[in-house]
Amino acid sequence: MTIQWYPGHMNKARKAIADALPTKDVVLEVLDARMPRASANPVLGELCAHKACIKILSKSDLADPEVTKAWIRYLEAADGNGRVAAIALTTTRPGEMRAKIPEICKRLVPHRTGPAKSVRAMVVGIPNVGKSTLINTLMERKVTKVGDEPAVTKSQQLVTLKSGMTLSDNPGILWPRSDIDSAATMRLALGGALPDTVMDYEYVGLFAAEFFLARYPQLLCTRFKLAELPASPLDALQTIGRKRGCIRSGGVVDLHKAGDVLIHEFRNGTLGKISLEAPSDPP
């Protein structure tokens, strides 16, 4: 699946991040807990390679908790120099988020804990991963626009927390070319990091059905009340379509609508707690 989507503001955002990084102490990289590897932009990784970093696994309430624990261990061990911390957070526990992030920042950059030396942090990540939600939660009020679709934030925003710590929010940026591998593209589309207008619901739905059959078959059967496991991804999508009334004239299952159903059941968590990749999966 080839996707071409790199709005002009993303290129400007990349340049703005590169220009502002020298003045920042810590990078808060927001990753999707359901797909930490796929949602890690290599461009941001290169830009922020020499900065202390907290990798924040957002939407962890939607992810498989055991897989999330494995990701935290993996991300911290992969660094090897003590400059990276990983944490899984959810907006359902805002107090925990507000307490832990400043605490970890101070541990990573102890030289910024004295008088008149408040921590300067930058929030980065791909579109629709939860950057603005993070800042709003830390500020305890809505200061940045939040939406359930990519590219809501269009420019840099700077806010100051009660502790004096400053946070700059940036637009989510993807790769400047569509050279991400097919599986990563499917995960990004399935998770909502790409606009629905550039994806094929049937194609992504078939990918989702294949993955759920392999990794979470019981969740699929339970949610859609399936008496037996479908024999193939196509069979699964057709069965879901029939059960949810996704029928065209002539009694043919509308695979586009069936894919839409499966995708959004996953995104909103009604299908269950699911992770789209594990640290042990091939890169």
Side-chain angles (χ1 to χ4, degrees):
M1 176 174 157
T2 300
I3 290 178
Q4 295 287 348
W5 190 69
Y6 193 71
H9 77 269
M10 287 192 184
N11 190 44
K12 293 179 182 178
R14 180 189 181 282
K15 293 178 181 178
I17 290 172
D19 291 342
L21 265 175
T23 67
K24 306 302 177 185
D25 306 304
V26 181
V27 172
L28 307 183
E29 183 181 12
V30 185
L31 304 172
D32 190 323
R34 301 167 299 175
M35 47 176 176
R37 182 179 287 132
S39 61
N41 187 333
V43 173
L44 292 174
E46 293 172 5
L47 289 174
C48 307
H50 302 294
K51 287 288 181 180
C53 179
I54 303 178
K55 295 184 182 291
I56 299 170
L57 304 187
S58 68
K59 307 181 184 181
S60 59
D61 54 321
L62 301 175
D64 184 325
E66 292 306 312
V67 177
T68 298
K69 290 176 184 177
W71 272 114
I72 291 174
R73 293 192 296 269
Y74 174 84
L75 292 170
E76 292 190 335
D79 170 57
N81 58 21
R83 291 184 306 180
V84 173
I87 183 172
L89 293 176
T90 170
T91 54
T92 60
R93 300 192 300 273
E96 179 184 9
M97 186 182 297
R98 286 191 285 267
K100 284 191 174 183
I101 290 180
E103 175 187 322
I104 296 172
C105 284
K106 291 178 181 178
R107 173 165 59 83
L108 291 176
V109 287
H111 61 285
R112 296 294 303 181
T113 58
K117 290 185 178 181
S118 57
V119 175
R120 301 161 300 183
M122 174 182 286
V123 182
V124 300
I126 66 171
N128 200 29
V129 78
K131 300 181 302 299
S132 296
T133 298
L134 169 67
I135 290 181
N136 289 340
T137 302
L138 292 174
M139 285 291 292
E140 300 183 55
R141 59 189 175 89
K142 185 175 180 179
V143 293
T144 62
K145 187 177 180 181
V146 176
D148 59 358
E149 60 184 31
V152 171
T153 302
K154 294 294 195 301
S155 60
Q156 285 191 325
Q157 303 178 74
L158 182 68
V159 297
T160 302
L161 304 185
K162 290 180 178 178
S163 64
M165 176 178 171
T166 61
L167 292 178
S168 59
D169 185 21
N170 299 273
I173 62 172
L174 285 171
W175 296 255
R177 302 190 307 275
S178 59
D179 56 359
I180 44 182
D181 69 90
S182 178
T185 304
M186 290 294 98
R187 293 184 184 105
L188 291 170
L190 178 56
L194 304 176
D196 287 355
T197 52
V198 304
M199 59 181 270
D200 184 321
Y201 276 94
E202 178 181 339
Y203 198 60
V204 178
L206 287 169
F207 168 82
E210 180 178 19
F211 183 85
F212 299 152
L213 284 172
R215 297 280 181 97
Y216 299 94
Q218 190 55 52
L219 291 181
L220 196 67
C221 289
T222 299
R223 178 59 187 169
F224 294 105
K225 297 181 173 59
L226 307 180
E228 58 183 14
L229 198 64
S232 69
L234 179 58
D235 185 24
L237 214 55
Q238 289 178 330
T239 301
I240 290 169
R242 284 192 291 270
K243 283 183 169 288
R244 293 299 178 87
C246 306
I247 307 296
R248 298 201 304 259
S249 59
V252 178
V253 173
D254 187 328
L255 293 178
H256 176 91
K257 290 184 178 179
D260 186 358
V261 169
L262 183 58
I263 290 166
H264 286 89
E265 292 267 322
F266 162 73
R267 288 182 184 174
N268 61 31
T270 53
L271 187 57
K273 295 182 182 296
I274 291 174
S275 292
L276 297 179
E277 57 186 3
S280 57
D281 291 339

